[in-house]
Amino acid sequence: MTDFYEIIRQWPLLSGIQVVTALGLLTVMLVPENRPGLIKKLAAVFSGVDLLICILIFLAYDQEAGGFQFVEKHLWVKALGIHYFNAVDGINLPMILLTGIVLFTGCLTMWELENRVKEFFAFSFLLVLGVFGVFMSMDLFFLFVYYDIALFPMYPLIAIWGSTRKEYGAMKLTLYLLAGSALILPGIILLYVKSGLWTFDIIALSGAEFTPYIQSIGFLLFFFGFGILAGVWPFHTWSPVGHVAAPTSVSMIHAGVLMKLGAYGVLRVGAFLCPEGWVQWADLMAVLAVIGILYGAFVGLAQTDLKYVIGYSSVSHMGIVGLGLSTVTVSGMNGAVFQMFAHGIMTALLFSSVGYIYDKTHTKTTFELGGMSRNMPVISGFFILAALAGVGVPCLASFWAELLVFISAVKVYPVRGILAISGLLISALFMLRVVMKTYYGPANEKYAGLSDVTAWLATPRVILAGVIVFFGLFPWLMLNLIQTATVSFPKVMGF
Amino acid sequence: MQDQIILFLPELFFLLMALVLFGLTLGSGRPKPRRDYYVALVLGAVGLVLTLGSIKAEGHLFFQAYRLDLFSQLFKCFLSFGLFLVICISSRLDDIEERRHPEFYLFLTTSTLGMMLLVSAVELITLFVALELSSYSLYILIPLRKGSSHSTEAGIKFFFIGAMASATMLFGMSYLYGVCHTTYLTGILSSLPAQIHAPGAVIGMVLTLCGLFFKLAVFPFHNWAPDVYEGGTNQVITFIATASKLAGMAILIRLTALTNGSSAYLINLLIVLSMIGMTFGNLVAIKQKDFKRLLAYSSIAHAGYILIGILTMSKLGYSSVIYYALAYLILNFACFMVLITTSEKGKNVAIEDFNGLYSRAPLLAMTLLLGVFGLAGLPPTGGFTSKFLVFIAAIEKGYFWLVVFAMVNVTISLYYYINVVKAAYLNPPAEGSEKIKISVPLRLLNYVVIIIILWLGLYPATLLDRARTAAEAVLAVL
């Protein structure tokens, strides 16, 4: 087996993912519009192949060796020092796997879509092409290009197929996120120019000696630039609005994967390249993260729209990622990266469950629903499982992530750590309240005749639920991998 | 002698082309618009090929007043490419009387010729004459539009502001001559940096640049742009928005290089103009309903971005502006091509006329999307890469906060650019609107434009290397 993995490691699998995604995009575009069935099947096949490659890379990554593997580096523009440079380590590998899972399950979830199917899948593939690119690119130029490619398809995806004030939601989201990218660009160029190396290669730049002042400005730009996408309070307002407006699978990709791009950017570009700036601004990060956790939880408490509930819980949960990063400790970062993965899967499951209910009942407000578990036990079960994962029930993936973050947070920032934990209690309260109102209690007669998910439509949800439970039971499979990367971060403290 | 003729061949060809077209204007029989179109198209294509062939030409002509180097030749290629593109989309000149079609092509050609002379001119009087040749041709082109009082008004406005700018420029040049005692740029360069702190030199330089700011629609010399864009024939405006902007950039590079970056006063002035221009252009563009007016205000903002590259006065800055020039040409052309194809009978196009373009003509919608996003500076288009290069040059010179300011402006601009895309892709088509038929050549042109936009965005290496060598050529001569 080891020999097999040895061979696998020689293959340019990262480019393979890009090629398969790009082929998926092209193939979908070439199929005539009046064959939606074929388009959906093709989408499922291409996303399935993507997922398989992701799993293969995950298995083949040599944890003992650690560091950057599956490296593909080719000079692209000599005059500017731009490289086509892909590599994975313990931080982006979980993210790539996450993207693969969410893309595949997202494609399956949209099986019942009927309106402008071809464009929907074309835009989805374009978006994911960008997401994969950001996660695997080790060159700042490409990273930025991919980042913008990932952002722009959100606009049509929400504005065409969305619901509830969709155009407003789409415009707000796009302007917010592109405003973020407008901060990132000067940051990238600043590092490029001030390094004196004339390269955009992230690994080479991490060896450059930037003055504390440059690192300070650089980190701040990256923190706010990428942070907007990660839903950092007070720049989170696009997020619930966008989530609510987006169609199911887009919400899944959006909350599940896209928000992670932001956190990943803060980590990979901000913390990795400007470690002193990171340490300097860690206090501020922690404060914003704790406010985000508490704010998301409190506002979530007052919501009656299921998607708003998940949207605000995302703000809260992404706050946990921010808190983990702000501790500047290995365990905090491990927790943060694991939380990114776990939250991605969990939110995807939440949105896919709510999406099904919305498709059938055309409502997502808690007081119009009720007793859903009697008519639709299976889909309700998925929601409840994901909600429990969000609350941090042991044996589910996010439990370990949250545990790690909170332990390190309490050690580094005792008061803020305890405040954050209390936020978790509130979010438990509102999640359970939603579960109680929507899935238990008196049933709404209007929806008595609705059927539960078919086995085929349950498949994507089963996969997501399976992943949550699997990594809840075997957390070290992920944590050991993450640890290989986080220990090598400059400036990071132990424990 | 023979060598010199070969060096001057592209210009001579365009002169010949102008003569041929002039011959066509003399005909008194029935107008033959198809014949005029094909003659212009074929001649334009030959001109482009000739110019491309002369890209490596180097040397001096006319007593050192005219210089051929990679910089001038590269810009000449851009210019003849621009002219060719504009002729390509002129097969339906609905709003110009048929008997005036030869005049239309004639003045486009003379204007291009003027600009080609302009980019090679290294002597103030030559430069001025070339500039006037190109400008006067444009003044005539604007009121050619039939049945529109708007176009006459625009023509007059354009002419008066243009003449004012020329006069100012000439006045400035007289100062430069007074300070440096020569009209040759090489001579000016050897004495100007030492004297740039003298009031006469600074005033001379600033007044000279004012004439060029007019061409580029830099704030506060932008007043003509919205009205002229709105009033002129779509094809003429395409030319003004693409080729004529390039000539402005080229000569701005030549002239600012004269100071060697040694005048803080001049640089600060450019910073202020750039900041106001970007902000003003973008903020006013948000309110526009007419697509051409929107592009006019966007061009004012773009002039601001271009100034950032120019005020660095470094090799990197100049090469980024050269890169910007081609990207800007092709992006604007993409927008105008869609505008012209969508427009009925050559009328102006409001943004809401793009409603449902996606279902009426998917290919045009794609071109529009790439063009508009390119102007907004989003990857993977040429617009992104050119801004990226300009910003690198600026940060290298320490103008970090100017770049942050520019990025804030880019974000503001996204709003109105996205609205255009929204109309094309999301809004339902107006009732009774039919599918737009696209001929095979136009389809091909669309593909070519799309490929160039993406090529400039994703693979900047080839052009960038050329641009760098060209920028070196400017800095080396002078």
Side-chain angles (χ1 to χ4, degrees):
Chain A
M1 206 62 184
T2 353
D3 287 346
F4 174 66
Y5 289 146
E6 201 66 48
I7 298 167
I8 294 283
R9 280 196 281 273
Q10 309 301 320
W11 293 352
L13 282 184
L14 292 174
S15 293
I17 294 181
Q18 295 280 19
V19 171
V20 171
T21 318
L23 278 179
L25 173 67
L26 284 179
T27 323
V28 166
M29 280 173 82
L30 290 176
V31 177
E33 211 159 333
N34 53 9
R35 312 237 357 230
L38 179 64
I39 293 173
K40 286 176 201 165
K41 279 176 201 146
L42 283 171
V45 169
F46 279 103
S47 58
V49 176
D50 264 341
L51 178 59
L52 285 180
I53 304 179
C54 294
I55 294 173
L56 199 60
I57 297 176
F58 184 77
L59 294 176
Y61 183 85
D62 185 353
Q63 293 194 6
E64 278 173 28
F68 290 98
Q69 296 179 19
F70 292 94
V71 177
E72 302 159 13
K73 189 172 181 179
H74 307 283
L75 193 59
W76 189 261
V77 183
K78 192 163 169 242
L80 292 174
I82 299 174
H83 294 87
Y84 174 77
F85 185 11
N86 293 331
V88 284
D89 68 350
I91 290 172
N92 53 4
L93 187 47
M95 298 299 113
I96 289 172
L97 182 64
L98 169 73
T99 313
I101 296 172
V102 175
L103 170 65
F104 180 62
T105 52
C107 282
L108 295 187
T109 307
M110 291 315 273
W111 211 256
E112 291 186 322
L113 181 79
E114 279 162 8
N115 174 25
R116 294 170 84 168
V117 176
K118 174 176 163 168
E119 295 144 86
F120 179 84
F121 283 103
F123 279 126
S124 300
F125 271 104
L126 182 64
L127 186 152
V128 172
L129 185 70
V131 173
F132 273 128
V134 174
F135 283 140
M136 61 181 65
S137 196
M138 285 296 142
D139 184 280
L140 286 175
F141 176 84
F142 274 94
L143 190 140
F144 186 81
V145 170
Y146 282 127
Y147 187 78
D148 271 11
I149 291 179
L151 296 187
F152 125 79
M154 285 307 286
Y155 183 79
L157 280 173
I158 294 179
I160 299 177
W161 294 275
S163 53
T164 327
R165 292 207 294 166
K166 53 188 183 179
E167 285 192 9
Y168 167 75
M171 183 59 104
K172 184 167 184 178
L173 175 139
T174 313
L175 287 182
Y176 258 74
L177 300 189
L178 290 174
S181 84
L183 293 177
I184 299 167
L185 189 65
I188 288 177
I189 300 177
L190 184 71
L191 295 191
Y192 170 73
V193 171
K194 296 293 174 187
S195 70
L197 300 171
W198 302 104
T199 177
F200 287 100
D201 175 346
I202 292 181
I203 299 171
L205 283 176
S206 71
E209 288 178 2
F210 298 110
T211 61
Y213 176 67
I214 297 291
Q215 297 204 25
S216 173
I217 293 184
F219 185 82
L220 210 56
L221 286 172
F222 295 130
F223 175 60
F224 286 119
F226 286 113
I228 290 178
L229 182 50
V232 166
W233 187 90
F235 305 106
H236 65 281
T237 57
W238 60 270
S239 147
V241 181
H243 285 135
V244 171
T248 306
S249 84
V250 175
S251 294
M252 288 168 69
I253 295 179
H254 178 197
V257 178
L258 210 63
M259 284 177 89
K260 289 7 169 235
L261 283 189
Y264 173 78
V266 173
L267 186 60
R268 173 69 79 205
V269 184
F272 194 59
L273 296 183
C274 308
E276 284 185 43
W278 180 28
V279 174
Q280 193 187 336
W281 295 106
D283 250 350
L284 174 77
M285 279 176 83
V287 171
L288 293 182
V290 172
I291 297 178
I293 295 173
L294 291 173
Y295 174 87
F298 274 114
V299 180
L301 208 52
Q303 299 305 318
T304 52
D305 183 310
L306 281 175
K307 279 194 162 182
Y308 265 120
V309 172
I310 309 175
Y312 279 106
S313 86
S314 279
V315 173
S316 186
H317 282 122
M318 288 307 287
I320 297 178
V321 175
L323 186 64
L325 295 183
S326 72
T327 59
V328 201
T329 58
V330 171
S331 59
M333 281 169 69
N334 288 347
V337 178
F338 198 6
Q339 170 75 354
M340 280 152 73
F341 179 81
H343 176 251
I345 303 282
M346 180 183 92
T347 324
L349 186 53
L350 282 173
F351 274 118
S352 76
S353 314
V354 171
Y356 182 81
I357 290 177
Y358 178 69
D359 285 346
K360 296 291 161 194
T361 62
H362 299 290
T363 180
K364 45 189 169 33
T365 40
T366 46
F367 51 84
E368 283 183 19
L369 298 163
M372 298 307 285
S373 64
R374 267 175 254 167
N375 303 327
M376 305 181 172
V378 180
I379 201 77
S380 310
F382 287 127
F383 185 91
I384 295 166
L385 178 82
L388 291 180
V391 172
V393 168
C395 291
L396 296 174
S398 45
F399 166 72
W400 303 101
E402 290 171 15
L403 189 71
L404 277 169
V405 169
F406 286 132
I407 290 176
S408 11
V410 171
K411 273 190 191 160
V412 181
Y413 312 108
V415 178
R416 276 168 266 181
I418 289 165
L419 275 174
I421 295 175
S422 64
L424 197 67
L425 294 178
I426 301 166
S427 82
L429 189 68
F430 79 71
M431 271 298 187
L432 293 179
R433 205 178 60 109
V434 165
V435 167
M436 219 169 64
K437 279 203 169 173
T438 318
Y439 295 93
Y440 298 100
N444 188 337
E445 289 307 315
K446 215 163 73 179
Y447 307 125
L450 295 178
S451 55
D452 206 347
V453 275
T454 56
W456 173 242
L457 280 178
T459 316
R461 281 106 181 166
V462 170
I463 297 174
L464 292 169
V467 175
I468 296 181
V469 176
F470 180 79
F471 284 106
L473 294 175
F474 309 103
W476 60 87
L477 286 178
M478 190 59 87
L479 283 172
N480 287 352
L481 169 70
I482 298 170
Q483 172 109 4
T484 58
T486 47
V487 287
S488 66
F489 259 64
K491 287 279 170 187
V492 73
M493 287 186 287
F495 67 76
Chain B
M1 182 63 191
Q2 207 173 7
D3 291 354
Q4 295 195 336
I5 288 180
I6 287 176
L7 284 180
F8 203 55
L9 200 58
E11 288 88 333
L12 278 180
F13 178 80
F14 279 99
L15 187 62
L16 182 78
M17 178 170 165
L19 286 176
V20 172
L21 291 166
F22 176 65
L24 293 182
T25 64
L26 299 177
S28 57
R30 256 165 55 114
K32 294 183 182 134
R34 296 314 295 171
R35 178 203 62 187
D36 301 338
Y37 172 66
Y38 286 116
V39 168
L41 190 68
V42 170
L43 289 176
V46 175
L48 175 60
V49 172
L50 268 180
T51 324
L52 283 174
S54 74
I55 192 160
K56 294 221 166 104
E58 277 183 27
H60 285 92
L61 294 171
F62 312 127
F63 309 100
Q64 313 286 320
Y66 198 80
R67 188 185 149 80
L68 297 115
D69 50 22
L70 186 59
F71 176 77
S72 67
Q73 300 312 96
L74 203 56
F75 266 100
K76 280 177 202 169
C77 290
F78 294 170
L79 288 169
S80 48
F81 184 49
L83 174 69
F84 177 68
L85 287 177
V86 173
I87 295 177
C88 280
I89 52 169
S90 301
S91 63
R92 267 177 42 216
L93 276 176
D94 293 330
D95 55 348
I96 295 182
E97 281 178 47
E98 286 189 349
R99 66 190 173 85
R100 299 238 183 268
H101 284 198
E103 270 100 336
F104 166 78
Y105 298 116
L106 167 65
F107 290 116
L108 280 188
T109 311
T110 49
S111 181
T112 311
L113 177 64
M115 291 179 207
M116 289 175 78
L117 296 173
L118 187 68
V119 295
S120 265
V122 285
E123 192 265 344
L124 291 180
I125 308 298
T126 322
L127 202 148
F128 184 77
V129 171
L131 186 73
E132 290 304 82
L133 175 59
S134 70
S135 302
Y136 274 84
S137 313
L138 293 180
Y139 300 152
I140 302 166
L141 279 169
I142 299 290
L144 267 188
R145 197 180 202 185
K146 70 178 173 195
S148 160
S149 58
H150 236 71
S151 75
T152 322
E153 185 196 325
I156 293 172
K157 201 163 186 174
F158 193 37
F159 173 69
F160 273 114
I161 300 181
M164 276 277 289
S166 300
T168 318
M169 185 172 180
L170 202 58
F171 188 50
M173 285 176 171
S174 71
Y175 270 85
L176 284 182
Y177 176 73
V179 173
C180 304
H181 304 290
T182 173
T183 56
Y184 283 88
L185 297 192
T186 36
I188 295 178
L189 182 79
S190 57
S191 58
L192 190 66
Q195 304 185 58
I196 190 75
H197 304 294
V202 176
I203 292 173
M205 198 66 199
V206 170
L207 291 180
T208 311
L209 291 183
C210 285
L212 299 165
F213 290 161
F214 159 78
K215 281 241 152 239
L216 264 179
V218 170
F219 182 92
F221 306 90
H222 64 278
N223 277 319
W224 59 273
D227 293 329
V228 168
Y229 272 52
E230 195 184 356
T233 315
N234 293 338
Q235 279 84 351
V236 173
I237 300 307
T238 311
F239 185 76
I240 292 180
T242 53
S244 108
K245 287 277 155 64
L246 296 197
M249 292 184 213
I251 203 63
L252 207 53
I253 290 179
R254 274 235 199 263
L255 286 181
T256 50
L258 289 177
T259 64
N260 245 343
S262 51
S263 169
Y265 178 79
L266 184 65
I267 291 175
N268 288 337
L269 182 80
L270 292 179
I271 290 180
V272 172
L273 288 183
S274 147
M275 286 169 83
I276 301 177
M278 288 187 280
T279 319
F280 174 83
N282 283 326
L283 288 181
V284 184
I286 289 178
K287 286 206 58 97
Q288 301 308 316
K289 301 263 184 296
D290 184 289
F291 189 51
K292 276 200 288 181
R293 277 188 89 88
L294 182 141
L295 287 176
Y297 281 105
S298 119
S299 82
I300 297 167
H302 275 274
Y305 303 133
I306 291 163
L307 278 189
I308 299 180
I310 289 185
L311 63 87
T312 61
M313 306 197 185
S314 63
K315 188 175 100 184
L316 202 57
Y318 289 149
S319 56
S320 67
V321 173
I322 297 171
Y323 198 91
Y324 206 118
L326 183 61
Y328 187 72
L329 172 108
I330 201 77
L331 292 170
N332 252 326
F333 178 76
C335 294
F336 274 100
M337 181 169 64
V338 177
L339 183 148
I340 287 170
T341 325
T342 323
S343 138
E344 280 167 20
K345 299 223 161 86
K347 289 206 181 75
N348 283 357
V349 172
I351 294 168
E352 58 181 24
D353 292 335
F354 287 130
N355 281 355
L357 186 64
Y358 172 76
S359 54
R360 292 161 64 206
L363 182 63
L364 287 182
M366 184 47 113
T367 314
L368 182 70
L369 175 117
L370 282 172
V372 165
F373 274 166
L375 287 176
L378 292 184
T381 61
F384 162 70
T385 312
S386 44
K387 281 208 181 68
F388 190 72
L389 293 170
V390 167
F391 292 161
I392 289 178
I395 291 183
E396 191 209 11
K397 281 280 175 179
Y399 305 117
F400 177 71
W401 293 110
L402 183 60
V403 171
V404 174
F405 187 86
M407 283 310 290
V408 172
N409 261 295
V410 168
T411 315
I412 297 174
S413 73
L414 281 170
Y415 179 77
Y416 60 84
Y417 289 125
I418 289 180
N419 269 332
V420 176
V421 176
K422 185 182 145 204
Y425 274 85
L426 303 181
N427 295 354
E431 271 183 39
S433 60
E434 293 164 4
K435 287 214 168 204
I436 299 173
K437 282 197 189 111
I438 313 175
S439 60
V440 177
L442 189 63
R443 195 170 278 277
L444 275 177
L445 191 64
N446 265 284
Y447 288 128
V448 170
V449 166
I450 288 176
I451 290 171
I452 298 181
I453 292 177
L454 292 177
W455 171 68
L456 286 175
L458 288 172
Y459 194 70
T462 334
L463 181 65
L464 188 63
D465 285 342
R466 285 273 157 90
R468 289 201 152 194
T469 325
E472 267 166 25
V474 177
L475 290 166
V477 185
L478 297 168

